[in-house]
Amino acid sequence: MRPSTAQIIQFLLAAVVVVALGGLAGWYFFVNKHIEQTQSTDDARGFGQSASFAQGIGSTYQNIVDGITGAFGASSPTNNTEGAPAPRIWHVSKNPVAGMGFAASSTDLYFAERSTGNILLATPRTSLVQRLSNTLLPKVYEAQFAESGAAILRRIADDGSIITFAGTLATSSAQQETAGENAPSALNGTYLAQNILAIGSDTDGKGITYLVKNPAGGSVAATASWTGSSQKKLFESPLENWRLYVLRDGRMYIAQKASDDIPGSAFKVATDGSLSTLVSSMPGLTILPRASSTALIYGQSSGGTLALFARVSEDAATVRLPIRTTADKCVWAPGMDLIAYCAVPQSAGSDAFLRDWYRGALHTADSWWSVNVSAGTAEQIYVPTEDSLDVHQPTIDGGGEYIAFINGLDQSLWMLRIAK
Amino acid sequence: MKRIALLLATALIATPFAASAQLGFRDTSNALSISISPSYPAPFELVTLKLTSPVHDLERSDIVWSSGGKVIAEGEGLVKTTVTAGAMNTSMTIMADVGNGVASAETVIAPTAIELLWEADTYVPPFYLGRSLPSAGASVRLMAIPRFLKDGKPVPANQIRFTWMRNDGILVDQSGRGRTSAVVAAPYLYSADIISVQAETVDGTISGEARVRIPSVEPVISLYGDHPVFGTMYFNALGGSTPIAESEMSFIAEPYFVPANSARSSGLTYDWRVNNVSVAAGADRPNALTIDASNSSGYAFIELVVEHLTNFFLSAEGKWGITFTKGGGGTDMTDPFSGR
């Protein structure tokens, strides 16, 4: 019996329905499989997780920390329990930092990451490190801070010129409002003139003093507001190799950059730009002027030997201190007594100490000494037991409790509590 | 006419006698001079005074040295004595009396100070805290700061004449009134120059001198890791043998003290060799080198010679041994550059 046309049509329709259902089932399983794959890929990439912005430690920070463990050791930024007071010697950041400065009337320390230019705040009372800014300024080579937290960040442009950014932390932002008051904020600021050779700021972060390369040769020193406006020329010099010292009390000094056995001179800069001699023609001269007094510590590098000298006032006789180091490794204690703290290398290690130390070819292992400049005596106060510390850029808080410094070996940040 | 001839004849005859009279009977009381050393004493510097005379027999004479009426030193044949100069811009009159008034001389010691500062125009990396030192073919910038006071006020530079000298030869084109700075060629390789400046007020009342010894140095090449996140790691110049926990790394060579304004100056040439194989320097960054040792033994012996296209005295070289300790090709001991 031959099937009727109607039966054939019904059979064909049933076959189409079966094929369609099979196709849909296949498509479902095919798509579902890809969804699982996509989800697993997304999970691996971190999609769907809460963004790290507005957290204390951001993703950039974590990525960098994770990425450099091989080069700079463990990834943890601190070596102690957060919340507890920091140990006497505190490894604040194992990652390279660009510079630091204490907050006003506090032992809290602002510092800038070298990799991101982010500003962080370290609190030794609680061992906490908090990220304050999330504005990315990569590869910051030098950072300075006013006591207000205003920061000067210095970088190198592709053409080799020096870029200087002066910024302040935004007081509030929409991001902070949604993420909480401890969320990082933007670092707002302005780019100052190119090729600033040396710069210093006042304590409240409102004014700067700087030396900039003069296109006609030499350099020009000037003061300006934090944004670079209201410029006032101090002096012109046919030389460029100057270091600038701006003290808390507003006084300014300049010194020729030092080199072993090469005479150097240092000058006090008056507000009218005139220079009066502070130290004249001293081989390998490094200086450390003191705020609120005319006391001075200065170092000499001559004949392969380091020597340190001090005078309690401008007119006083110079005394030779019983430690061998450079003034770059010293910091004056605040207060009435003429006390300084100096990191002293266990051995100089080179006949051209300054030249090799400045170019990173020489690293020292230092111990800390307390120097009574009035008495001309020195006493050892701290000897590192585990880590080798090559002290650079020491700075002290206003109360004289902590010294912060960068370890020249890896540019990591350390704090030493002076009292045992 | 006869009168003129008579006058001329008289003058001619009389001249030898007049000259003879001047020589034979002149006043010898002032035939003394005092020299001081150093010629331009600094404040509180020890000054040596020496009395000389072409006429008097000083060795056998009683000599009295005094200042302001006070005797400093005295004795027979005492032709030398010393005195400490006073403070800056003060003056001290020293008198020497010979033979109890037979002759006398005096000099004034007025210490002044001139700061003489210098640096070279050679290249150092940004943020380097040391001085730029001169190498052969470079220039040296000098700056003089005279501390001259007149009537208690500083004498402005445009009222002072500066004479710059190199090894006691006057640099005429650098000298002159108000010329407080100078630019001179750096000393030749392995040598040193004495650069001095004499300063004198235009009225000649105050003068001083300062001098410096400027040695020439050889440029030094330092090699640094160039990290993608941290940038050039200027804090850690690589030594002769350095292990690096990476399998790939970029490096930056910084030629300290070369006569150039940049490490990438077109005048500088970089001749890189890695494991004895020449590596072409990059056009944009000739002082940079990247090594990928992931399929190699992980050891790279880097050699670099930096020269100058026109300054044939400049040739600096450096050698560094780098061991990459994180390479994936530990079993493949091939040289990473052997296939080039």
mmCIF file of all heavy atoms in Angstrom, chain A residues 242-260:
data_model
loop_
_atom_site.group_PDB
_atom_site.id
_atom_site.type_symbol
_atom_site.label_atom_id
_atom_site.label_comp_id
_atom_site.label_asym_id
_atom_site.label_seq_id
_atom_site.Cartn_x
_atom_site.Cartn_y
_atom_site.Cartn_z
ATOM 1 N N TRP A 242 75.118 72.227 41.143
ATOM 2 C CA TRP A 242 74.797 72.701 42.494
ATOM 3 C C TRP A 242 73.846 71.733 43.180
ATOM 4 O O TRP A 242 72.984 71.137 42.540
ATOM 5 C CB TRP A 242 74.102 74.067 42.435
ATOM 6 C CG TRP A 242 74.929 75.203 41.941
ATOM 7 C CD1 TRP A 242 74.794 75.831 40.736
ATOM 8 C CD2 TRP A 242 75.988 75.871 42.625
ATOM 9 N NE1 TRP A 242 75.718 76.849 40.637
ATOM 10 C CE2 TRP A 242 76.460 76.894 41.786
ATOM 11 C CE3 TRP A 242 76.588 75.703 43.875
ATOM 12 C CZ2 TRP A 242 77.499 77.740 42.143
ATOM 13 C CZ3 TRP A 242 77.625 76.543 44.229
ATOM 14 C CH2 TRP A 242 78.065 77.547 43.361
ATOM 15 N N ARG A 243 73.993 71.649 44.494
ATOM 16 C CA ARG A 243 72.962 71.017 45.317
ATOM 17 C C ARG A 243 72.300 72.109 46.137
ATOM 18 O O ARG A 243 72.963 73.049 46.587
ATOM 19 C CB ARG A 243 73.569 69.953 46.225
ATOM 20 C CG ARG A 243 74.061 68.750 45.432
ATOM 21 C CD ARG A 243 74.654 67.699 46.316
ATOM 22 N NE ARG A 243 73.643 67.044 47.129
ATOM 23 C CZ ARG A 243 73.911 66.030 47.946
ATOM 24 N NH1 ARG A 243 75.143 65.557 48.035
ATOM 25 N NH2 ARG A 243 72.960 65.478 48.657
ATOM 26 N N LEU A 244 71.009 71.964 46.306
ATOM 27 C CA LEU A 244 70.218 73.001 46.963
ATOM 28 C C LEU A 244 69.666 72.473 48.288
ATOM 29 O O LEU A 244 69.195 71.337 48.356
ATOM 30 C CB LEU A 244 69.071 73.402 46.029
ATOM 31 C CG LEU A 244 68.054 74.412 46.535
ATOM 32 C CD1 LEU A 244 68.686 75.769 46.732
ATOM 33 C CD2 LEU A 244 66.890 74.511 45.548
ATOM 34 N N TYR A 245 69.755 73.289 49.315
ATOM 35 C CA TYR A 245 69.242 72.906 50.636
ATOM 36 C C TYR A 245 68.259 73.989 51.089
ATOM 37 O O TYR A 245 68.662 75.138 51.284
ATOM 38 C CB TYR A 245 70.379 72.790 51.658
ATOM 39 C CG TYR A 245 71.458 71.810 51.242
ATOM 40 C CD1 TYR A 245 72.456 72.183 50.339
ATOM 41 C CD2 TYR A 245 71.474 70.513 51.740
ATOM 42 C CE1 TYR A 245 73.436 71.286 49.941
ATOM 43 C CE2 TYR A 245 72.444 69.611 51.350
ATOM 44 C CZ TYR A 245 73.421 69.996 50.452
ATOM 45 O OH TYR A 245 74.384 69.106 50.052
ATOM 46 N N VAL A 246 67.013 73.625 51.229
ATOM 47 C CA VAL A 246 66.004 74.559 51.740
ATOM 48 C C VAL A 246 65.590 74.046 53.112
ATOM 49 O O VAL A 246 65.048 72.937 53.231
ATOM 50 C CB VAL A 246 64.784 74.643 50.805
ATOM 51 C CG1 VAL A 246 63.767 75.636 51.358
ATOM 52 C CG2 VAL A 246 65.223 75.065 49.406
ATOM 53 N N LEU A 247 65.865 74.805 54.158
ATOM 54 C CA LEU A 247 65.621 74.345 55.519
ATOM 55 C C LEU A 247 64.195 74.657 55.952
ATOM 56 O O LEU A 247 63.488 75.453 55.337
ATOM 57 C CB LEU A 247 66.618 74.988 56.484
ATOM 58 C CG LEU A 247 68.099 74.805 56.122
ATOM 59 C CD1 LEU A 247 68.977 75.302 57.260
ATOM 60 C CD2 LEU A 247 68.429 73.353 55.819
ATOM 61 N N ARG A 248 63.812 74.021 57.076
ATOM 62 C CA ARG A 248 62.452 74.214 57.587
ATOM 63 C C ARG A 248 62.175 75.671 57.930
ATOM 64 O O ARG A 248 61.038 76.122 57.883
ATOM 65 C CB ARG A 248 62.252 73.371 58.845
ATOM 66 C CG ARG A 248 62.047 71.904 58.560
ATOM 67 C CD ARG A 248 61.932 71.126 59.842
ATOM 68 N NE ARG A 248 61.677 69.716 59.599
ATOM 69 C CZ ARG A 248 61.705 68.794 60.534
ATOM 70 N NH1 ARG A 248 61.979 69.105 61.776
ATOM 71 N NH2 ARG A 248 61.463 67.538 60.239
ATOM 72 N N ASP A 249 63.229 76.397 58.332
ATOM 73 C CA ASP A 249 63.017 77.796 58.703
ATOM 74 C C ASP A 249 63.091 78.720 57.492
ATOM 75 O O ASP A 249 63.066 79.941 57.643
ATOM 76 C CB ASP A 249 64.029 78.227 59.767
ATOM 77 C CG ASP A 249 65.464 78.052 59.299
ATOM 78 O OD1 ASP A 249 65.672 77.739 58.117
ATOM 79 O OD2 ASP A 249 66.386 78.223 60.117
ATOM 80 N N GLY A 250 63.208 78.157 56.315
ATOM 81 C CA GLY A 250 63.179 78.948 55.096
ATOM 82 C C GLY A 250 64.546 79.359 54.585
ATOM 83 O O GLY A 250 64.653 79.868 53.467
ATOM 84 N N ARG A 251 65.604 79.137 55.382
ATOM 85 C CA ARG A 251 66.928 79.522 54.890
ATOM 86 C C ARG A 251 67.371 78.595 53.765
ATOM 87 O O ARG A 251 66.973 77.438 53.709
ATOM 88 C CB ARG A 251 67.944 79.496 56.035
ATOM 89 C CG ARG A 251 67.803 80.706 56.969
ATOM 90 C CD ARG A 251 68.811 80.657 58.080
ATOM 91 N NE ARG A 251 68.646 79.466 58.871
ATOM 92 C CZ ARG A 251 69.651 78.798 59.420
ATOM 93 N NH1 ARG A 251 70.890 79.194 59.234
ATOM 94 N NH2 ARG A 251 69.426 77.726 60.143
ATOM 95 N N MET A 252 68.210 79.137 52.903
ATOM 96 C CA MET A 252 68.648 78.379 51.738
ATOM 97 C C MET A 252 70.170 78.336 51.657
ATOM 98 O O MET A 252 70.846 79.319 51.988
ATOM 99 C CB MET A 252 68.121 79.026 50.461
ATOM 100 C CG MET A 252 66.648 78.864 50.247
ATOM 101 S SD MET A 252 66.102 79.759 48.808
ATOM 102 C CE MET A 252 66.094 81.422 49.399
ATOM 103 N N TYR A 253 70.662 77.205 51.217
ATOM 104 C CA TYR A 253 72.093 77.034 50.997
ATOM 105 C C TYR A 253 72.291 76.327 49.663
ATOM 106 O O TYR A 253 71.434 75.554 49.227
ATOM 107 C CB TYR A 253 72.720 76.185 52.105
ATOM 108 C CG TYR A 253 72.661 76.827 53.481
ATOM 109 C CD1 TYR A 253 71.548 76.663 54.296
ATOM 110 C CD2 TYR A 253 73.706 77.608 53.938
ATOM 111 C CE1 TYR A 253 71.477 77.256 55.541
ATOM 112 C CE2 TYR A 253 73.647 78.204 55.182
ATOM 113 C CZ TYR A 253 72.528 78.030 55.981
ATOM 114 O OH TYR A 253 72.463 78.630 57.210
ATOM 115 N N ILE A 254 73.432 76.578 49.063
ATOM 116 C CA ILE A 254 73.817 75.783 47.900
ATOM 117 C C ILE A 254 75.246 75.286 48.128
ATOM 118 O O ILE A 254 76.037 75.927 48.821
ATOM 119 C CB ILE A 254 73.743 76.567 46.568
ATOM 120 C CG1 ILE A 254 74.574 77.851 46.630
ATOM 121 C CG2 ILE A 254 72.314 76.865 46.192
ATOM 122 C CD1 ILE A 254 74.754 78.492 45.272
ATOM 123 N N ALA A 255 75.531 74.149 47.556
ATOM 124 C CA ALA A 255 76.885 73.601 47.620
ATOM 125 C C ALA A 255 77.215 73.018 46.263
ATOM 126 O O ALA A 255 76.327 72.472 45.585
ATOM 127 C CB ALA A 255 76.985 72.532 48.699
ATOM 128 N N GLN A 256 78.472 73.136 45.892
ATOM 129 C CA GLN A 256 78.887 72.491 44.654
ATOM 130 C C GLN A 256 78.749 70.985 44.821
ATOM 131 O O GLN A 256 78.984 70.447 45.909
ATOM 132 C CB GLN A 256 80.342 72.825 44.356
ATOM 133 C CG GLN A 256 80.587 74.223 43.846
ATOM 134 C CD GLN A 256 82.038 74.379 43.439
ATOM 135 O OE1 GLN A 256 82.911 74.566 44.272
ATOM 136 N NE2 GLN A 256 82.295 74.275 42.149
ATOM 137 N N LYS A 257 78.366 70.310 43.764
ATOM 138 C CA LYS A 257 78.312 68.850 43.840
ATOM 139 C C LYS A 257 79.712 68.334 44.132
ATOM 140 O O LYS A 257 80.711 68.876 43.646
ATOM 141 C CB LYS A 257 77.783 68.276 42.526
ATOM 142 C CG LYS A 257 76.288 68.499 42.357
ATOM 143 C CD LYS A 257 75.772 67.817 41.121
ATOM 144 C CE LYS A 257 74.256 67.879 41.056
ATOM 145 N NZ LYS A 257 73.730 67.232 39.834
ATOM 146 N N ALA A 258 79.746 67.283 44.921
ATOM 147 C CA ALA A 258 81.033 66.838 45.459
ATOM 148 C C ALA A 258 81.676 65.763 44.595
ATOM 149 O O ALA A 258 80.991 64.979 43.938
ATOM 150 C CB ALA A 258 80.831 66.301 46.866
ATOM 151 N N SER A 259 82.988 65.762 44.621
ATOM 152 C CA SER A 259 83.762 64.674 44.038
ATOM 153 C C SER A 259 85.040 64.546 44.857
ATOM 154 O O SER A 259 85.609 65.556 45.287
ATOM 155 C CB SER A 259 84.083 64.976 42.572
ATOM 156 O OG SER A 259 84.553 63.819 41.937
ATOM 157 N N ASP A 260 85.482 63.325 45.043
ATOM 158 C CA ASP A 260 86.638 63.087 45.898
ATOM 159 C C ASP A 260 87.855 63.880 45.423
ATOM 160 O O ASP A 260 88.154 63.917 44.230
ATOM 161 C CB ASP A 260 86.979 61.600 45.892
ATOM 162 C CG ASP A 260 85.746 60.757 46.130
ATOM 163 O OD1 ASP A 260 85.441 60.497 47.297
ATOM 164 O OD2 ASP A 260 85.083 60.391 45.141
#
